[in-house]
Amino acid sequence: MVKSSSSKKLRREAGQGYLFMAPVLIILGIFVIAPILCAIYLSFHKVELLGGTHLEFRGLDNFMKITFDDRAHIALKNTFIYVVIVVPLQTLLALVLAASLNAGMKGQKFFRIVYFLPTLTSSAVLTLIFMWMYNQNGLINHILDMLHLPTYNWIGDPSVALLAIMIMNIWATAPFFMVIYLAALQDIPDSHYEAAELDGATGLQKFWHITVPNLRPVTSFVVIMGLIGTFQLFDQSYIFSGGSGGPNNSTLTVVLLIYQYAFKSLGTMGYATALAFMLAIIILIATLLQRKFSKEESLY
């Protein structure tokens, strides 16, 4: 009898809990889970949206097509290059900026605001500003010319167009991660640094042997967020190239290619969702590898 009443109470409490969670679960189901399931379903079909939605089952054909699509290979290559360069540099820059602000420099509050301003700017607006700066007669080439350094056609030259986007995004994204690092630095006990000073450690030694090890969990989080964000590069590439991924496909990314196939080509919506599903798998694998690597590092 006691067990029966206790089990009823547990069921009642569980029901109340699910009732309170229902609004969030419904929203997640409609706007997150349902679109994911729909995208997976469409990836196995040829989809015609004009003149009424028409679905034709294709099995794994859309996924097999990726292996023969030269533009998909270029987009994957550009995206991987972008990720491999941007993630480490933005993480390192964020850590250096946070450490410099945490060192008690004069005007610390002022520099916090100045450093964080790029993050507050709209991505589209920031891209337009940099396009003006990257113009052949723009600010950056003017400064390079004053320093007697070579100037570039930043937007029109395939060899530097992707690099131009990298520079812009490192400068714009690092301050966001800087704030995360800055909050983590406040939690490192001062006694660690005081003990290191008594042992005669230099500033660089304290940074490398105390600051960096204590920030490993935060660094893992920053790298994972950076991986997810960089793999999804779209708006800057779209604005820079006018949606084409040019010049000569040098700024073509996977997400931009998905957009082109989904909304600019007829009958390729299913192929676009297959590309999106492939990108999600790549991001998941990269995230899991990073988590595994960070856990192995913490054991030493």
Side-chain angles (χ1 to χ4, degrees):
M1 190 71 177
V2 176
K3 288 184 179 179
S4 177
S5 60
S6 62
S7 62
K8 286 181 179 178
K9 183 179 179 182
L10 288 173
R11 285 197 298 270
R12 185 169 61 253
E13 290 177 352
Q16 291 173 348
Y18 283 116
L19 184 63
F20 284 117
M21 292 168 59
V24 176
L25 293 175
I26 292 171
I27 292 172
L28 287 174
I30 294 174
F31 295 104
V32 178
I33 298 174
I36 291 173
L37 295 176
C38 181
I40 294 172
Y41 175 75
L42 292 178
S43 66
F44 294 99
H45 294 78
K46 179 181 178 181
V47 184
E48 293 282 357
L49 296 179
L50 296 178
T53 303
H54 174 70
L55 301 177
E56 180 184 337
F57 183 72
R58 288 293 183 87
L60 296 175
D61 286 357
N62 287 330
F63 295 94
M64 294 299 295
K65 184 180 175 182
I66 297 173
T67 60
F68 304 104
D69 188 351
D70 291 336
R71 297 195 76 228
H73 299 164
I74 294 170
L76 279 169
K77 179 185 174 183
N78 291 341
T79 303
F80 273 115
I81 292 172
Y82 178 82
V83 170
V84 168
I85 294 176
V86 171
V87 172
L89 289 181
Q90 74 181 11
T91 303
L92 179 61
L93 180 59
L95 178 57
V96 170
L97 290 175
S100 65
L101 289 176
N102 195 57
M105 59 187 292
K106 289 185 178 180
Q108 181 175 319
K109 292 182 179 179
F110 170 76
F111 283 110
R112 282 187 186 181
I113 296 171
V114 171
Y115 288 163
F116 195 67
L117 281 177
T119 305
L120 300 177
T121 309
S122 165
S123 177
V125 173
L126 193 66
T127 305
L128 291 173
I129 292 172
F130 266 83
M131 285 182 70
W132 167 76
M133 293 172 62
Y134 282 139
N135 191 283
Q136 283 189 293
N137 298 317
L139 179 63
I140 293 177
N141 276 345
H142 182 65
I143 294 172
L144 291 174
D145 188 52
M146 286 177 58
L147 298 173
H148 303 289
L149 295 172
T151 59
Y152 299 96
N153 182 7
W154 294 94
I155 300 174
D157 187 348
S159 62
V160 296
L162 186 62
L163 176 63
I165 297 178
M166 291 179 187
I167 294 171
M168 178 187 68
N169 278 332
I170 291 169
W171 179 82
T173 310
F176 172 75
F177 295 124
M178 175 200 73
V179 175
I180 297 173
Y181 271 125
L182 198 56
L185 285 169
Q186 309 297 319
D187 291 333
I188 301 177
D190 292 335
S191 57
H192 291 5
Y193 296 103
E194 293 168 0
E197 284 182 8
L198 292 175
D199 290 336
T202 63
L204 185 60
Q205 288 173 329
K206 287 188 288 185
F207 176 78
W208 185 252
H209 295 288
I210 297 175
T211 305
V212 173
N214 277 280
L215 292 177
R216 276 178 183 167
V218 178
T219 300
S220 177
F221 170 78
V222 168
V223 170
I224 289 172
M225 295 300 293
L227 284 171
I228 295 171
T230 50
F231 269 116
Q232 296 177 355
L233 174 67
F234 169 74
D235 47 352
Q236 295 93 336
S237 178
Y238 180 88
I239 296 171
F240 257 80
S241 63
S244 67
N248 196 26
N249 290 327
S250 59
T251 61
L252 182 66
T253 63
V254 177
V255 179
L256 179 56
L257 185 64
I258 292 169
Y259 166 80
Q260 291 177 351
Y261 278 127
F263 301 107
K264 288 194 171 184
S265 302
L266 295 177
T268 54
M269 175 67 79
Y271 179 56
T273 55
L275 281 168
F277 186 65
M278 178 205 67
L279 179 62
I281 296 297
I282 292 173
I283 294 174
L284 178 62
I285 292 172
T287 303
L288 292 175
L289 287 174
Q290 163 57 24
R291 289 190 62 184
K292 187 176 187 299
F293 178 73
S294 61
K295 284 181 180 178
E296 287 179 352
E297 264 195 344
S298 65
L299 294 176
Y300 296 97

